[in-house]
Amino acid sequence: MTIDYSIENVSVNKSFGGWHKQYNHHAKTLNCYMRFAIYLPPQASNGEKVPVLYWLSGLTCTDENFMQKSGVQRIAAELGIAIIAPDTSPRGGEVADDDSYDLGQGAGFYVNATQTPWSRHYQMYDYVVNELPQLIESTFPVSDKRAIAGHSMGGHGALTIAMLNPERYRSMSAFSPISNPINCPWGRKAFTAYLGKDQATWRNHDASELMRQAQQFVPARVDQGGADDFLVEQLKPETLAAAAKVSDYPLELHLHEGYDHSYYFIASFIEDHLRFHATHLKK
Amino acid sequence: MTIDYSIENVSVNKSFGGWHKQYNHHAKTLNCYMRFAIYLPPQASNGEKVPVLYWLSGLTCTDENFMQKSGVQRIAAELGIAIIAPDTSPRGGEVADDDSYDLGQGAGFYVNATQTPWSRHYQMYDYVVNELPQLIESTFPVSDKRAIAGHSMGGHGALTIAMLNPERYRSMSAFSPISNPINCPWGRKAFTAYLGKDQATWRNHDASELMRQAQQFVPARVDQGGADDFLVEQLKPETLAAAAKVSDYPLELHLHEGYDHSYYFIASFIEDHLRFHATHLKK
């Protein structure tokens, strides 16, 4: 099979004076073709290099959910921030998968897999930290000022990736993150499959562990709904809050009574996240 | 089969301080079970009776597309307006259907069908004009101040329904409406199937025909994207504009360069539509 290394535009929609676009490209780290979405605010059409917010989605999502359901474009257009939404795992017929929704395609957990059969393609950590930003910054009118955010599995991804690379991100935020994956069913299942049974390797991808031991800080905001069905068993924001106290981490944690795990929650508070990131991206 | 005439709540999401909910009920006019969505703004939880905007979606949509993708809740919460999104046709295994996307289920065109096999269930005009508002106004804390809006096929529905019932609606609006269905492929196909070959019966459901002959006026706003793939062959806003000139109809028509037929266009301008309706609903 001949690999096409070009980047291919597959959709364009004008949105709030800017442009939402989807692209396909061959990801070397993932060894497969990947689609991502970008929102370029109006300022990017005026020759300005705009800062970038990377958005990592949750289980079962693709690059489309956040762009279609969050309403982020309105605020990104006002603030002059580009938004990048990668897919949530490697994709394709040749890529290992699992019948369950919380492992395999749609469930990459933003780690580099070391175990068979996952390690051949599931290198989402390297893709999000290195390959995708290099592609974005060499292709689009964006600066190297980066922030990162995400939801649920993507909230776990955003917090861990930023804390492991504090020099690369100005700020980090999460909605309903899997805050302590080494102690919840979603995390334990995925980390066992992707990283193996040695739990020592898991701690490096656990937001609460990283926050407790942190010495360099990335300004952080987390929002959690009080009526979230996954709150107690899977998300555990109280563990993250306790970790922040230990290291005196600059974490704003907001609890919202009545809100659930859906995009209706994200849409209700995405403006607050964008304004939080803007204060750090505009410095 | 025993019919259950109760209204059944099937989902609840908190959104911008208000509540998005979906309900199932048996629609007598349609002779089948139907789902609709409602957004109740925060004001409705405070004992206030709020005005209502009915939203009619386009081909292939359900009650979900507008609620998930438009971002309407933010503005509805600010302005204190409830939003109702019905489905776009009768539904179910016993309901006549067609293999194409622009006829049958998902494509009811908001008319009362007179032709076999459609007439048994396809009575969307009566459902939207009478049965659904009666159910809404007897079930939820809403007033009898109504506005109506829609997209594409639903824009056709909103304009024709308001012009046929000017005493029932304070204002009407549409994104990318099928403005002259008797002269475009979508409309001619649907009207032939649902209303029969006698084109005299079609004129009563053509927004341009109704607007040209109007003597009672419902304040109207229409927005159309200039990069809409369906603009020339299917939508024909210029015919609506010409009709408005004949009758001196109070129509605001806004053309937006670069925007397409998608929800990215709707999301970009839904705030303008809500504020337009609010000026008439708050009188």
Side-chain angles (χ1 to χ4, degrees), chain B residues 34-61:
Chain B
M34 290 291 282
R35 192 176 67 194
F36 68 86
I38 183 169
Y39 177 70
L40 286 165
Q43 294 84 347
S45 301
N46 302 335
E48 205 176 307
K49 285 201 166 194
V50 296
V52 179
L53 174 68
Y54 288 84
W55 173 268
L56 306 183
S57 284
L59 290 167
T60 77
C61 289

Side-chain angles (χ1 to χ4, degrees), chain B residues 1 5 17 23 31 39 77 80 85 87 116 138 140 143 147 167 201 204 210 212 238 252 274 279:
Chain B
M1 189 177 73
Y5 286 108
Y23 289 89
N31 199 19
Y39 177 70
D87 205 342
T116 305
S138 64
F140 301 102
S143 72
E167 75 293 349
T201 67
N204 206 32
L210 293 171
R212 189 157 50 81
E238 68 285 357
E252 283 183 35
L274 267 279
T279 63

Side-chain angles (χ1 to χ4, degrees), chain A residues 148-216:
Chain A
I148 190 164
H151 174 232
S152 194
M153 174 184 76
H156 141 76
L159 299 179
T160 55
I161 281 175
M163 285 190 280
L164 290 167
N165 301 276
E167 75 293 350
R168 291 182 65 80
Y169 300 96
R170 300 287 185 107
S171 48
M172 64 184 185
S173 77
F175 289 88
S176 334
I178 303 174
S179 296
N180 187 205
I182 65 176
N183 287 316
C184 81
W186 278 340
R188 295 182 66 85
K189 177 177 176 177
F191 286 5
T192 302
Y194 299 144
L195 303 175
K197 290 182 181 168
D198 177 5
Q199 298 191 19
T201 66
W202 298 7
R203 296 179 184 279
N204 206 33
H205 295 286
D206 184 285
S208 293
E209 290 289 315
L210 293 171
M211 193 166 275
R212 189 159 50 84
Q213 295 164 25
Q215 299 189 332
Q216 277 185 279

Side-chain angles (χ1 to χ4, degrees), chain A residues 13-14 16-17 257 259-260 268, chain B residues 13 16-17 257 259-260 268:
Chain A
N13 311 95
K14 195 168 183 180
F16 288 94
E257 195 183 340
Y259 286 88
D260 62 23
S268 298
Chain B
N13 312 95
F16 288 95
E257 194 183 341
Y259 286 89
D260 61 24
S268 298

Side-chain angles (χ1 to χ4, degrees), chain B residues 31-126:
Chain B
N31 199 19
C32 67
Y33 287 92
M34 290 291 282
R35 192 176 67 194
F36 68 86
I38 183 169
Y39 177 70
L40 286 165
Q43 294 84 347
S45 301
N46 302 335
E48 205 176 307
K49 285 201 166 194
V50 296
V52 179
L53 174 68
Y54 288 84
W55 173 268
L56 306 183
S57 284
L59 290 167
T60 77
C61 289
T62 69
D63 65 297
E64 294 191 330
N65 306 65
F66 181 67
M67 291 295 193
Q68 294 182 352
K69 296 182 175 180
S70 70
V72 70
Q73 295 88 352
R74 180 180 62 88
I75 318 144
E78 179 198 325
L79 298 174
I81 298 173
I83 312 288
I84 307 288
D87 205 342
T88 53
S89 77
R91 296 282 183 180
E94 294 184 0
V95 173
D97 202 2
D98 187 274
D99 286 342
S100 54
Y101 75 98
D102 54 1
L103 189 68
Q105 294 191 32
F109 269 84
Y110 307 103
V111 298
N112 290 335
T114 56
Q115 307 295 304
T116 305
W118 307 105
S119 56
R120 179 168 157 74
H121 296 285
Y122 286 75
Q123 305 292 324
M124 286 297 288
Y125 177 87
D126 278 351

Side-chain angles (χ1 to χ4, degrees), chain A residues 231-272:
Chain A
L231 177 56
V232 174
E233 189 182 9
Q234 302 282 10
L235 304 177
K236 302 184 190 295
E238 70 284 358
T239 310
L240 193 70
K245 278 199 177 169
V246 172
S247 63
D248 206 18
Y249 209 99
L251 168 68
E252 280 183 37
L253 176 59
H254 301 266
L255 294 171
H256 302 278
E257 195 183 340
Y259 286 88
D260 62 23
H261 201 65
S262 72
Y263 268 91
Y264 290 107
F265 171 49
I266 297 171
S268 298
F269 296 99
I270 191 67
E271 178 166 353
D272 295 333

